[in-house]
């Protein structure tokens, strides 16, 4: 996919760095491509649900950022991104020790983009990575709104 | 709706108290009814996205717990609850100062229940509460699985 | 809710009448309000799935039209409506004899509106109507595009 | 993926043939694999919405059958399949002349399976096929219920 802004990687990294939720939760930006983003976080025992699995909302947090920034990478330099809606399927309990969130644009658009995301757990000794959740997100390109920039 | 367990309120409160993510994020259980739950959290600046709005994934965290426990309140005493999937629509930026998450069972079922959730922001002086997000969640009653109890 | 076009009812009826799928499937427009629409169809044995239930896609067809026109009713006179996405939960088998589809705008917007829909079966002797499916739809107001008018 | 029933292809074809909606709409079963199904239909002008695009509900009908049968292909011989919920994103207007619906199991499960579907239009002279819609569906394996067999 062709990004509207040649400097898309730095612009995406800069915007990601402005998300306090990522720092607080411990989600880091690993890779930025044109239309794709990879994030990761170590399992956090203090962000689990009642059975010790990473809370579904935390998975949604990582997936939403992955999907939003995958779309953002393709947008013009002066655009902001907002998520309109997302849907998450939880396929397996997420127990880590490492979680990875991948977002890939399925359909870029001038106003509306559709992005698919996948969350994996990995990192255990001799353990293959395992798909634990999927997301489909619809995101919007926002231009000219003072409170939604970058 | 008729709960399978007359002691549903205490059982729901006990399970909620076992979700470390709720304490960490600052989400509290306000009300438990048969098939409905109300949670609330103060806006957290350290859990926002890049424009200062509460991160969509944090809204999903509150909504998922509200929906899951609304269904859990109707389940038998020995059941655990797992979310299969949810879908969130983001209707307005959430800036607080207070967020409320309401979950209400739309269709209870022996195995599968469908629950609708609504997130509101409120608390500003003279400000009416405002609908900021909706969720529809599909949750599953789990019986006889050692790692998914209560 | 306040419609942008005082003549919204006639405009909605006229657009609905231009949907060949409605005639072919037998879905009729019953009521139009500002931000809400009611459709109905008799059960069609030739549009069932393998167990004799009305096919989920047919329920989605009625729900999508109900949701789209609920939003359309609030739009300016020169706008077209397109569905961006929808999510359907199937709560019970739909066997008729009558199906009703209700769409109600949850959040109207200049560009994006969120609409909730409910499908009921009813009409059996002494039988209460029963909720068989729900939809949440995200629809877009289209202005100035020649192929998407009315 | 490993089907529970070695005779999965014939069993899937037999069940598909019992869906009257497929014949009525003109959707045919093209391919059956273990965990995947391909359907196709010619564009139907009498099943369009108000702008002449194939109605979103008709796309949902094809996608739901593709997803349901993709999961069904992996199920035991005595199982029935029911869709619990699906979510559809509409990426581009569908004008045919040929529509193809592909369903692929993302996560098979004993009770709950998650399936992704894609709808394409194709067939115009020199025209590449184009992705017009995606679905994620959650389907349930039903065993021992007289009204939901095969």
């Amino acid at each position: 996919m062709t990004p509207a802004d040649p400097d898309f990687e730095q612009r995406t990294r800069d915007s990601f760095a402005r998300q306090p939720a990522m720092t607080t939760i411990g989600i880091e930006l690993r890779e930025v491509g044109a239309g794709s983003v990879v994030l990761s976080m170590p399992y956090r025992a203090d962000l689990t649900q009642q059975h010790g699995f990473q809370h579904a909302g935390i998975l949604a947090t990582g997936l939403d950022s992955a999907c939003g920034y995958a779309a953002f990478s393709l947008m013009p330099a002066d655009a902001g991104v907002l998520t309109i809606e997302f849907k998450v399927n939880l396929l397996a309990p997420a127990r880590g020790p490492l979680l990875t969130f991948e977002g890939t644009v399925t359909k870029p658009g001038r106003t509306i983009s559709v992005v698919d995301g996948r969350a994996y757990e990995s990192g255990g000794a001799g353990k293959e990575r395992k798909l634990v959740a999927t997301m489909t997100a619809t995101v919007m390109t926002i231009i000219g709104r003072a409170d939604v920039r970058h």
Side-chain angles (χ1 to χ4, degrees), chain A residues 16-140:
Chain A
F16 185 89
R18 284 190 293 269
Q19 286 213 341
M22 298 297 101
T23 312
T24 304
I25 294 173
I27 302 177
E28 296 189 357
L29 178 54
R30 291 291 167 199
E31 298 171 31
V32 180
S36 69
V37 153
V38 180
L39 315 178
S40 70
M41 75 174 272
Y43 171 85
R44 282 266 304 260
D46 63 341
L47 291 170
T48 53
Q49 40 82 284
Q50 69 275 27
H51 315 113
F53 311 148
Q54 203 75 95
H55 198 287
I58 300 303
L59 301 182
T61 303
L63 284 167
D64 176 49
S65 282
C67 288
Y69 281 115
F72 184 77
S73 72
L74 299 176
M75 292 181 186
D78 59 343
V81 60
L82 280 182
T83 305
I84 294 176
E85 62 85 34
F86 54 68
K87 184 241 203 285
V88 174
N89 269 259
L90 302 152
L91 309 181
R95 276 170 288 212
L98 187 73
L99 298 168
T100 307
F101 306 105
E102 303 183 358
T104 310
V105 175
T106 297
K107 173 67 168 62
R110 202 170 50 88
T111 308
I112 302 294
S113 297
V114 177
V115 191
D116 283 285
R118 298 197 156 209
Y120 298 90
E121 68 169 18
S122 61
K127 214 174 82 173
E128 274 189 69
R129 80 175 191 167
K130 183 179 178 180
L131 183 64
V132 295
T134 60
M135 173 178 280
T136 301
T138 308
V139 305
M140 194 164 179

